[in-house]
């Protein structure tokens, strides 16, 4: 474990993370997760059901966001709880003609929201945005610290 509870204070920023997302990432995630819903890879279908275009899987966005906490604490098993509410879809533009260019960018910032010394835990509050809008709210991870 890289972080000591005694060194933390509420409001302390643990870091930031930028996640570039391509449509190829979504196809890979669909295959790995089994979520083959065409709103995540077919623009005609996505627009046909009223979406602004192909959108990232909510769980992909959620998982990519909590990686900031995992990197900070150094141990994925230290995360005891993680939850959020989805507020806006992450629209992923087609950038296949520009290899390596993300079709969407998600920005993640984490701060210590609460400390429980009796349980040796810290709650990390995440701010998650894309295209200037919050895409996750009440994104919180509880981490057990040594």
């Amino acid at each position: 474990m890289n972080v000591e509870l005694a060194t933390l204070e509420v409001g302390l920023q643990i870091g930031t993370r930028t996640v570039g997302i391509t449509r190829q990432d979504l196809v890979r995630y669909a295959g790995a997760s089994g979520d083959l819903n065409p709103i995540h890879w077919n623009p005609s279908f996505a627009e046909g059901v009223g979406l602004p275009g192909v959108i990232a899987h909510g769980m992909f966005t959620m998982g990519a966001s909590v990686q900031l906490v995992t990197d900070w604490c150094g141990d994925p098993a230290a995360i005891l709880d993680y939850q959020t509410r989805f507020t806006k879809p992450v629209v992923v533009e087609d950038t296949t003609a520009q290899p390596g260019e993300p079709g969407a960018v998600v920005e993640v910032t984490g701060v210590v929201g609460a400390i429980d010394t009796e349980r040796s835990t810290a709650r990390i509050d995440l701010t998650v945005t894309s295209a200037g809008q919050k895409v996750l709210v009440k994104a919180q991870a509880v981490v057990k610290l040594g």
Side-chain angles (χ1 to χ4, degrees):
M1 184 78 42
N2 299 336
V3 180
E4 293 294 324
L5 193 66
T7 65
L8 301 182
E9 60 185 48
V10 172
L12 176 73
Q13 184 177 9
I14 67 157
T16 61
R17 181 168 199 253
T18 300
V19 181
I21 305 170
T22 65
R23 292 222 181 140
Q24 292 83 358
D25 294 329
L26 301 183
V27 170
R28 285 188 206 88
Y29 185 82
S33 69
D35 182 351
L36 305 176
N37 190 323
I39 63 173
H40 303 302
W41 55 269
N42 184 321
S44 298
F45 186 88
E47 291 166 9
V49 297
L51 293 169
V54 168
I55 63 169
H57 303 74
M59 297 309 267
F60 177 92
T61 304
M62 189 177 174
S65 298
V66 79
Q67 186 65 46
L68 174 69
V69 180
T70 301
D71 292 345
W72 170 74
C73 72
D75 180 7
I79 299 174
L80 303 178
D81 183 57
Y82 177 45
Q83 52 192 301
T84 191
R85 287 191 325 203
F86 303 97
T87 56
K88 297 268 184 198
V90 175
V91 178
V92 181
E93 301 297 329
D94 184 4
T95 58
T96 52
Q98 301 93 23
E101 278 296 309
V105 175
V106 172
E107 300 285 342
V108 184
T109 301
V111 299
V112 176
I115 299 169
D116 185 336
T117 54
E118 288 183 24
R119 293 191 171 113
S120 296
T121 61
R123 188 191 76 222
I124 307 302
D125 298 338
L126 299 175
T127 301
V128 184
T129 61
S130 183
Q133 296 191 354
K134 285 187 178 183
V135 295
L136 301 179
V137 296
K138 296 191 109 187
Q140 301 177 330
V142 176
V143 183
K144 179 83 167 172
L145 299 172

